[in-house]
Amino acid sequence: MGKVLVFGHTSPDTDAIVSAIAFAELKNKLGETVEPVRLGALNGETEYVLKHFNTDAPRLVKTVSNEVPAVYLVDHNEPQQSADDIDKVDVLSVVDHHRISGFETKAPLYYRAEPVGCTATILNKLYKENGVVVPKTIAGLMLSAIISDTLLFKSPTCTDEDVKAAKELEEISGVDTQTYGLAMLKAGTNIGDKSAEELIRLDMKPFEMGKYNVEIGQVNVVDFDDALSRQAELETAINKEIDAKNLDLFVLAVTNILTSDSKALILGKAAAAAEKAFHIELKNNTAVLKGVVSRKKQIVPVLTEELAK
Amino acid sequence: MGKVLVFGHTSPDTDAIVSAIAFAELKNKLGETVEPVRLGALNGETEYVLKHFNTDAPRLVKTVSNEVPAVYLVDHNEPQQSADDIDKVDVLSVVDHHRISGFETKAPLYYRAEPVGCTATILNKLYKENGVVVPKTIAGLMLSAIISDTLLFKSPTCTDEDVKAAKELEEISGVDTQTYGLAMLKAGTNIGDKSAEELIRLDMKPFEMGKYNVEIGQVNVVDFDDALSRQAELETAINKEIDAKNLDLFVLAVTNILTSDSKALILGKAAAAAEKAFHIELKNNTAVLKGVVSRKKQIVPVLTEELAK
């Protein structure tokens, strides 16, 4: 088998980047030739993580079929969250912790999904199952991914398995999880230098829900105003995105990592359905989503159920 | 959590039945309440297996949402191979060794697929990962599933992992794999008492390939004539099936377990595409598929590729 590429979803977050690096490392240790790549710009948090652990960012690509016939996916499976030409390559394996949707293969494959908070938690198991010790730097990166995805274990997506994996990785990496974790999450909330376009795309994922095209972005802050003081500018960027992609709904969740609440900015012709789904009333296109920090567990299923009606 | 049902695909084979039993046993040992059920009649081979190990057949059901809100799937994922009302329940986990197609969830789940010859091979790993010893009877059943799916290790779907799992299960169960295996496979070729309708449905699976509706049945024999001496009768049954379900293609693979070749009986308006896919010329609607014994590895991908053109 020739070289295989591995990558996480578009608009990559820390888990998407780190899991590609950690998966490639495991496969390379097992004798394969695997290169981690990325499908988008790094966010501030991930830049902080890679710098802290003195690790190069994976190479940026838009397409993959021009390089390889087959790929590995981490941290995603839905084609619209993947490489532009994902339909032109064979997917040999998937390691993921999301719902399965729109994913099709011609042949059997290795697919490992678990309903845990972070892909890195599953990768930690795969290292053990394959008898490979996680290298110190990789352990620090994987711990960062767990901190990122679980918001330092406070997200409802966080499971006992994530906590257990984080403890093991803390031990290997020698990182002080609480101190490092908070610094890392705060680095991700430093959004003053981003344009409105960059902000809405920072951690944005497209979804098909029923017959609706939906995009959901998420921005972590330590104060809602960090982002929402620029609401007019954000709305212009979102409406441009809606027009360009013919979206029915755009939800931007501004998540306060200190209070574990979100404020949603919601635009698009299906906005009323979103109000119904969350039992909220939008005022000036926004509403607080009390206790909501997880797109995957608290936003996507609720919206999917309402829009499928 | 209340009771959960677990089941394999419609027209169940030995792996579909046994994996449901073995998965339920594992989950019950871990403290859940899981009942194995089945979606169709037992074939002769599976009857032989259950009798040999003095095990009751799982209860027959057509629908599941009238009993439970959530289910586990083994040995399949495609909705058209599942319970009639699979869209009305939540799928909590899947353990499978087939391609993924048409499978959608609203929320994250446990999904374990591996490109091995048999679901029981993956279940053997799950027992170990959960620190549960496979009970002696269950080991005999799981070994039978591996023998069935790999045709006693001769199918191209058979991997080193299947052979390894079979050895472990042979040790626990005390079964002589070769002697028992051949007797078991031969019990499955005893088709003289089946009607033509029963024969084509014995191990039949529906597939969507591109815009085509396809069904592929498989019958194991020790001589092609065991089945094909009744070709006229089989064609009548197949044409009835094509009309009733508006199929584009029906392939009945008659597989000689001694020579490891198949003879295909192919009907339907897409028959010419099947000729192209397999580089064959049908004579009297049949052609030998040299060295073909695996629907999953040697029939489905080849047809899917041609019909997607």
Side-chain angles (χ1 to χ4, degrees):
Chain A
M1 195 160 69
K3 186 175 84 167
V4 182
L5 299 180
V6 58
F7 45 90
H9 51 79
T10 50
S11 299
D13 58 6
T14 298
D15 191 27
I17 297 292
V18 159
S19 288
I21 294 172
F23 187 84
E25 175 80 15
L26 173 61
K27 284 288 190 183
N28 289 333
K29 282 240 177 350
L30 294 172
E32 296 188 25
T33 306
V34 178
E35 185 194 354
V37 293
R38 64 185 159 98
L39 300 179
L42 299 177
N43 67 33
E45 182 195 274
T46 311
E47 276 177 355
Y48 178 92
V49 168
L50 293 177
K51 199 173 164 199
H52 187 94
F53 291 101
N54 205 8
T55 300
D56 288 336
R59 181 166 58 90
L60 178 68
V61 301
K62 274 296 268 183
T63 58
V64 289
S65 64
N66 50 313
E67 296 192 41
V68 291
V71 301
Y72 296 125
L73 305 185
V74 288
D75 198 30
H76 75 297
N77 68 85
E78 305 190 34
Q80 74 273 26
Q81 297 170 6
S82 198
D84 286 348
D85 58 345
I86 190 68
D87 58 317
K88 295 199 180 69
V89 292
D90 287 328
V91 177
L92 299 179
S93 98
V94 177
V95 181
D96 191 18
H97 65 130
H98 296 90
R99 71 169 189 176
I100 298 177
S101 183
F103 182 79
E104 303 268 334
T105 64
K106 275 186 297 207
L109 76 162
Y110 185 93
Y111 198 109
R112 179 76 168 257
E114 300 193 20
V116 293
C118 182
T119 307
T121 298
I122 308 168
L123 288 172
N124 187 50
K125 289 189 195 187
L126 293 184
Y127 269 87
K128 286 197 270 188
E129 288 168 21
N130 285 284
V132 177
V133 176
V134 182
K136 190 173 176 178
T137 299
I138 301 285
L141 294 171
M142 287 166 68
L143 175 60
S144 305
I146 297 175
I147 293 168
S148 170
D149 268 11
T150 66
L151 290 177
L152 208 39
F153 315 117
K154 281 196 285 191
S155 166
T157 58
C158 185
T159 67
D160 291 347
E161 305 209 32
D162 298 295
V163 175
K164 186 168 158 262
K167 276 195 187 128
E168 292 172 9
L169 295 164
E170 181 179 40
E171 200 147 306
I172 297 172
S173 63
V175 168
D176 177 334
T177 299
Q178 286 298 327
T179 312
Y180 166 73
L182 204 60
M184 183 202 111
L185 289 177
K186 280 198 178 155
T189 66
N190 188 359
I191 55 175
D193 60 339
K194 307 270 184 229
S195 71
E197 283 75 18
E198 284 171 329
L199 268 190
I200 68 165
R201 290 205 187 107
L202 201 59
D203 179 9
M204 180 179 80
K205 289 186 183 174
F207 298 89
E208 279 180 29
M209 297 181 179
K211 50 187 192 303
Y212 298 93
N213 284 315
V214 180
E215 280 188 355
I216 306 174
Q218 189 166 21
V219 178
N220 288 347
V221 296
V222 289
D223 183 324
F224 287 145
D225 277 347
D226 290 353
L228 291 168
S229 62
R230 297 160 66 187
Q231 185 175 343
E233 217 188 312
L234 289 169
E235 289 197 7
T236 307
I238 290 171
N239 281 323
K240 219 187 260 178
E241 180 80 6
I242 289 174
D243 288 347
K245 298 190 181 163
N246 202 17
L247 302 176
D248 302 289
L249 186 65
F250 193 105
V251 177
L252 180 68
V254 179
T255 300
N256 187 322
I257 60 165
L258 302 180
T259 64
S260 298
D261 296 317
S262 291
K263 197 162 181 179
L265 172 57
I266 300 180
L267 297 173
K269 54 182 180 284
E275 286 187 301
K276 243 176 117 176
F278 293 111
H279 308 288
I280 52 171
E281 200 178 315
L282 290 171
K283 277 176 193 156
N284 186 25
N285 300 324
T286 65
V288 171
L289 303 176
K290 198 73 194 156
V292 169
V293 296
S294 167
R295 170 169 52 199
K296 187 168 70 170
K297 200 143 189 167
Q298 298 172 298
I299 299 179
V300 173
V302 178
L303 272 182
T304 302
E305 182 149 2
E306 182 62 36
L307 291 175
K309 277 179 189 169
Chain B
M1 195 159 71
K3 186 175 86 168
V4 182
L5 299 180
V6 57
F7 45 89
H9 51 79
T10 50
S11 299
D13 58 6
T14 298
D15 191 26
I17 297 291
V18 159
S19 288
I21 294 172
F23 187 84
E25 175 80 14
L26 172 61
K27 284 289 189 182
N28 289 334
K29 282 240 175 354
L30 294 172
E32 296 188 26
T33 307
V34 178
E35 185 194 354
V37 294
R38 66 186 158 97
L39 300 179
L42 299 177
N43 67 33
E45 182 195 275
T46 311
E47 276 177 355
Y48 179 92
V49 168
L50 293 177
K51 199 173 163 200
H52 187 93
F53 291 101
N54 205 7
T55 299
D56 288 338
R59 181 166 57 92
L60 178 68
V61 301
K62 274 296 268 185
T63 58
V64 289
S65 65
N66 50 312
E67 295 193 42
V68 291
V71 301
Y72 296 125
L73 305 185
V74 289
D75 199 30
H76 75 296
N77 68 85
E78 305 190 33
Q80 74 273 25
Q81 297 170 6
S82 198
D84 286 348
D85 58 345
I86 190 68
D87 58 318
K88 294 198 180 69
V89 292
D90 287 329
V91 177
L92 299 178
S93 98
V94 178
V95 181
D96 190 18
H97 66 130
H98 295 91
R99 72 169 189 175
I100 297 177
S101 184
F103 182 80
E104 304 267 335
T105 64
K106 276 186 296 208
L109 74 163
Y110 184 93
Y111 198 110
R112 180 77 169 258
E114 300 193 21
V116 293
C118 182
T119 307
T121 299
I122 308 168
L123 287 173
N124 187 50
K125 289 189 195 186
L126 293 184
Y127 269 87
K128 286 197 268 188
E129 288 169 20
N130 284 284
V132 177
V133 176
V134 183
K136 189 172 176 181
T137 298
I138 301 285
L141 294 172
M142 287 166 70
L143 174 61
S144 306
I146 297 175
I147 293 167
S148 170
D149 268 12
T150 67
L151 290 177
L152 209 37
F153 315 117
K154 281 197 286 191
S155 167
T157 58
C158 185
T159 67
D160 291 347
E161 305 208 32
D162 298 296
V163 175
K164 186 168 157 264
K167 277 196 187 125
E168 292 172 10
L169 296 165
E170 181 179 39
E171 200 148 308
I172 297 172
S173 64
V175 168
D176 178 334
T177 300
Q178 285 298 326
T179 312
Y180 166 73
L182 205 59
M184 184 201 110
L185 289 177
K186 280 198 178 155
T189 66
N190 188 359
I191 54 176
D193 60 339
K194 306 269 184 230
S195 71
E197 284 74 17
E198 284 171 329
L199 267 190
I200 67 165
R201 290 204 189 108
L202 202 59
D203 179 9
M204 179 179 81
K205 288 186 183 175
F207 299 89
E208 279 180 29
M209 297 180 178
K211 49 187 193 303
Y212 297 93
N213 283 316
V214 179
E215 280 188 356
I216 306 174
Q218 189 166 22
V219 179
N220 288 348
V221 296
V222 290
D223 184 325
F224 288 144
D225 276 346
D226 291 352
L228 290 169
S229 62
R230 296 161 66 186
Q231 186 175 341
E233 217 187 313
L234 289 170
E235 290 197 7
T236 306
I238 290 172
N239 281 323
K240 219 187 261 178
E241 180 80 7
I242 288 174
D243 287 347
K245 298 191 181 163
N246 203 17
L247 301 176
D248 301 290
L249 186 65
F250 192 106
V251 177
L252 180 68
V254 178
T255 300
N256 187 321
I257 59 166
L258 302 179
T259 64
S260 298
D261 297 316
S262 291
K263 197 161 181 179
L265 171 58
I266 300 180
L267 296 173
K269 54 183 180 284
E275 285 187 301
K276 243 176 117 178
F278 293 111
H279 306 289
I280 52 170
E281 200 179 316
L282 290 171
K283 277 177 194 156
N284 186 25
N285 300 324
T286 66
V288 171
L289 304 176
K290 198 75 195 154
V292 169
V293 296
S294 167
R295 170 170 51 199
K296 187 168 70 169
K297 200 143 188 167
Q298 297 172 299
I299 299 179
V300 172
V302 177
L303 272 182
T304 303
E305 180 150 2
E306 182 63 35
L307 291 175
K309 276 181 188 166

